[in-house]
Amino acid sequence: MAKTQNQFTQEDLLRTIIENHPQLLGVLSRFGLSFGFGDKTVRRACADDGVDRDSFLAVCNLVCGLDYSDYQISLPALMAYLRRAHTHFLEYLLPAIRRKLIEAINCSDIDDVAFLLMKFFDDYVREVNSHMQHENDEVFSYVSNLLAGEISENFRITDYSLNHGSMTEKLTELKDIFIRHYHVKDNEILTSALLDIIHCGEELNRHCAIENNLFIPAVEKLEKSLQLRALENEESDSERTDGAAMEAMTDREREIICCVAKGMSNKEIAAELCLSIHTVTTYRRNISSKLRIHSAAGLTIFAILNNLIDINEVNPHI
């Protein structure tokens, strides 16, 4: 099979990839790729079905243990994939296992134990359902808002990732109970159910790896990008505020700010500018109101930052 740098690429034949890695069949349907692709390359198949090529290749490479770092994730495409995966688990795979378990257990005479085993499985399914519905309703909604440029102060993707696991421990425990302790002979339905449980555990582990290694890092990158943009906007707003404040200053007010920065008292300013002390006091009150700066030290810093006065002219004792 053709690979470049130990990874699937857009020029690989899709049928060759699937023939060698049948575990990727589910990836096709969850991305919305059609069967019957013949000898199409990944690039052509994705283009024909409107599938984000990089996201598809990243998932395929990760699932097969290959290098996925070259591909840029589309969060909308990946979220659609994850939603379909949730549907696969909750509406198809887990219910199919339950049906087989009921049929297998009904072949035995261990009614009380059968009830407890089914309760164990049903409790587990409820936990998986709660976990995946939380992702569908809360986590994906949060990411959709991020994509729309809305940052939440009450949630970060790390809040979700800290409690995120593969959800396979109880499933493995149930399988082990059947294998080690449930003494029933010649039960092909139970064997089929246990094989499905093993397959489900493998699928859940791959699903968790996709969320941990592709989804969560992509969301963190988006969060950082929006936070940086917000910071830049705040700095820009601050610069515009300073500029507007400078434009609102009269020449006389600028002169008074410079005098304050030089360490002059109101009496000295009045003498310097041929004004009354009362007039200087009124000017300073208006200046403080416009700039929201009330101290001599604050006015000095403002004067320096806005090039009203050279730092060498400043009174160091202010």
Side-chain angles (χ1 to χ4, degrees):
M1 177 176 52
K3 296 192 191 99
T4 301
Q5 297 181 346
N6 199 34
Q7 62 182 195
F8 304 129
T9 73
Q10 62 176 352
E11 300 307 327
D12 286 330
L13 295 179
L14 189 53
R15 67 171 175 79
T16 306
I17 293 175
I18 298 302
E19 286 170 0
N20 287 277
H21 299 275
Q23 71 269 33
L24 295 177
L25 271 172
V27 175
L28 293 182
S29 61
R30 289 164 210 163
F31 268 110
L33 276 166
S34 305
F35 293 139
F37 39 73
D39 289 328
K40 291 180 183 178
T41 62
V42 171
R43 176 178 55 80
R44 176 66 184 277
C46 287
D48 287 351
D49 284 331
V51 173
D52 185 78
R53 184 182 62 235
D54 270 20
S55 298
F56 173 73
L57 283 168
V59 169
C60 288
N61 279 296
L62 185 149
V63 167
C64 294
L66 303 177
D67 180 17
Y68 55 87
S69 60
D70 292 340
Y71 299 105
Q72 296 295 318
I73 297 299
S74 162
L75 277 171
L78 191 57
M79 282 195 296
Y81 169 90
L82 294 172
R83 284 184 185 276
R84 292 190 187 105
H86 292 167
T87 299
H88 169 71
F89 288 116
L90 297 176
E91 297 185 13
Y92 296 98
L93 189 50
L94 290 170
I97 292 172
R98 188 179 193 279
R99 287 192 295 271
K100 287 185 180 181
L101 286 176
I102 289 174
E103 188 175 353
I105 289 173
N106 283 342
C107 295
S108 74
D109 296 322
I110 316 174
D111 293 335
D112 291 340
V113 176
F115 173 79
L116 293 175
L117 286 168
M118 290 309 305
K119 183 177 185 304
F120 188 107
F121 180 78
D122 289 342
D123 288 345
Y124 168 74
V125 171
R126 276 191 288 272
E127 289 180 17
V128 174
N129 182 76
S130 176
H131 176 92
M132 291 184 174
Q133 287 301 330
H134 170 69
E135 290 180 358
N136 287 346
D137 299 338
E138 304 296 332
V139 178
F140 294 163
S141 294
Y142 166 73
V143 176
S144 295
N145 289 337
L146 285 180
L147 290 167
E150 301 175 19
I151 305 175
S152 171
E153 297 299 326
N154 302 318
F155 184 81
R156 289 289 182 271
I157 198 63
T158 50
D159 300 331
Y160 157 75
S161 64
L162 291 174
N163 298 311
H164 184 250
S166 65
M167 303 173 290
T168 59
E169 289 185 6
K170 284 190 175 181
L171 198 61
T172 300
E173 185 177 331
L174 178 64
K175 176 205 69 177
D176 290 343
I177 288 172
F178 273 112
I179 292 174
R180 297 175 184 176
H181 307 291
Y182 193 76
H183 187 70
V184 177
K185 291 183 178 181
D186 301 325
N187 195 326
E188 291 297 330
I189 300 173
L190 180 57
T191 300
S192 179
L194 293 176
L195 288 171
D196 285 350
I197 287 174
I198 293 170
H199 168 69
C200 183
E202 292 169 348
E203 287 267 354
L204 283 168
N205 282 331
R206 287 193 285 266
H207 181 78
C208 183
I210 291 166
E211 291 179 326
N212 286 340
N213 295 286
L214 296 178
F215 176 66
I216 291 173
V219 177
E220 289 175 337
K221 182 178 179 181
L222 178 58
E223 286 177 337
K224 290 177 183 177
S225 174
L226 291 176
Q227 288 164 359
L228 179 60
R229 188 186 307 169
L231 182 60
E232 290 173 348
N233 288 339
E234 287 178 6
E235 292 176 351
S236 178
D237 290 343
S238 176
E239 291 174 1
R240 284 195 293 270
T241 300
D242 286 348
M246 279 297 298
E247 291 178 5
M249 292 286 107
T250 66
D251 290 341
R252 180 64 80 188
E253 286 170 338
R254 291 190 181 94
E255 288 178 329
I256 290 175
I257 291 172
C258 291
C259 290
V260 172
K262 293 176 182 178
M264 299 171 65
S265 66
N266 284 355
K267 182 177 180 181
E268 291 170 328
I269 294 171
E272 176 73 16
L273 301 179
C274 300
L275 300 171
S276 70
I277 294 178
H278 175 73
T279 300
V280 171
T281 302
T282 301
Y283 269 121
R284 289 197 62 170
R285 185 163 50 247
N286 291 339
I287 290 168
S288 294
S289 177
K290 287 181 180 180
L291 300 181
R292 296 183 182 179
I293 300 173
H294 301 279
S295 66
L299 290 174
T300 299
I301 293 171
F302 177 86
I304 295 170
L305 292 177
N306 288 277
N307 301 313
L308 294 180
I309 190 171
D310 188 271
I311 194 168
N312 295 321
E313 300 178 77
V314 172
N315 186 331
H317 301 296
I318 290 180

